[in-house]
Amino acid sequence: MRRNPIRVLGAAALTVLAMGACAKQPPPVAPAAGNLPLASPTAAAARTTVPQVAALGVTEVDKLFAEAKLVPILRYHPEVLSGEGTVVGTDPPAGAIVLAGDSVTVLVAGAPGPTLQDYVNAHRETFVGIAADANGVLVVGIHQQADLAREIETLAQLANGSAYRIQTCPRTFTDLQRVQLELARRDFVAGADKLSFAMTVDPLACAVRLTIDMSEPDIAQLTARYQGALVIQKGSVRRGG
């Protein structure tokens, strides 16, 4: 897989789109065809319920949505000042029955915070995430189909003079969340339900990083199945995932 690092500098305010408001939201980025693993028929048929997250913070939303096997798409609403930073609703609404792995729009009051990290976290359909590389330089993973010129201008303002680099990726954070949900079913190899593992979205790798103690043939098979969306690091961890 080819990734293209671009070095930039950056600081300033951002405008995000409000759900149902007049402000403009960057259009969602469609994942490239064939890049995402196909869910099994069983997974496709599984249903779940949209959790009640009104008045909660974004961090709590992520936890509850992971438990519900759903992908939250954040939409900040700068015009809503009451309860800034908390959820004011979802679409579909809480209690709706949907397919596991579906995306649910989460409407958040106010605007994201003023930092580069806040902006990246608030635009999961454009970015993979942000992390420091081995040299301590911040790396921003961005989808290869994003409007790079526009995003570079915004990121440069928010970086406030700090050095960072941009790395283009074939998938977004939202795409990789779906991979995590599939892995969390613990059926990716025989006996996976008894294995201990940890996983995270890694913007440096443009992939989900899975830390697990499993055989080399199983690692090769699983890595091939996810076509670059998964990197596996051998190692023992406490029961998790």
Side-chain angles (χ1 to χ4, degrees):
M1 177 188 307
R2 202 178 80 195
R3 294 187 285 274
N4 305 309
I6 303 173
R7 187 163 290 276
V8 287
L9 294 177
L14 78 133
T15 302
V16 290
L17 198 162
M19 178 186 195
C22 299
K24 268 190 159 181
Q25 179 82 2
V29 178
N35 278 337
L36 293 180
L38 297 177
S40 67
T42 303
R47 293 185 176 273
T48 186
T49 303
V50 177
Q52 175 59 260
V53 292
L56 298 182
V58 172
T59 302
E60 295 169 286
V61 167
D62 285 337
K63 180 177 183 297
L64 290 175
F65 269 68
E67 292 172 355
K69 299 177 173 54
L70 292 170
V71 177
I73 304 295
L74 305 179
R75 290 287 183 268
Y76 282 80
H77 197 322
E79 295 181 356
V80 178
L81 302 179
S82 178
E84 190 169 3
T86 61
V87 177
V88 296
T90 59
D91 182 22
I97 305 300
V98 295
L99 295 178
D102 274 358
S103 297
V104 174
T105 300
V106 178
L107 178 59
V108 184
T115 69
L116 189 64
Q117 181 78 64
D118 292 330
Y119 182 75
V120 170
N121 289 346
H123 296 84
R124 298 173 173 184
E125 292 171 287
T126 300
F127 296 96
V128 176
I130 183 169
D133 64 14
N135 298 316
V137 176
L138 287 179
V139 178
V140 178
I142 186 171
H143 193 270
Q144 61 193 13
Q145 294 180 8
D147 184 340
L148 196 56
R150 180 180 63 189
E151 294 302 341
I152 284 178
E153 182 180 357
T154 301
L155 295 174
Q157 292 175 337
L158 293 168
N160 197 24
S162 299
Y164 70 96
R165 64 184 173 90
I166 288 178
Q167 178 163 273
T168 57
C169 300
R171 301 169 182 84
T172 66
F173 181 83
T174 298
D175 298 328
L176 295 175
Q177 276 188 305
R178 293 191 176 91
V179 174
Q180 287 184 298
L181 290 177
E182 287 193 23
L183 295 171
R185 299 203 310 263
R186 293 182 172 273
D187 59 0
F188 48 85
V189 293
D193 58 319
K194 298 180 176 61
L195 294 176
S196 299
F197 61 88
M199 56 183 170
T200 186
V201 172
D202 183 357
L204 301 178
C206 294
V208 172
R209 180 172 296 278
L210 177 68
T211 303
I212 191 169
D213 189 7
M214 59 192 296
S215 71
E216 293 295 341
D218 282 343
I219 288 176
Q221 182 181 35
L222 191 57
T223 301
R225 184 190 309 171
Y226 281 92
Q227 305 172 35
L230 178 68
V231 293
I232 299 177
Q233 179 177 317
K234 285 199 73 170
S236 299
V237 296
R238 292 184 178 183
R239 176 79 182 195

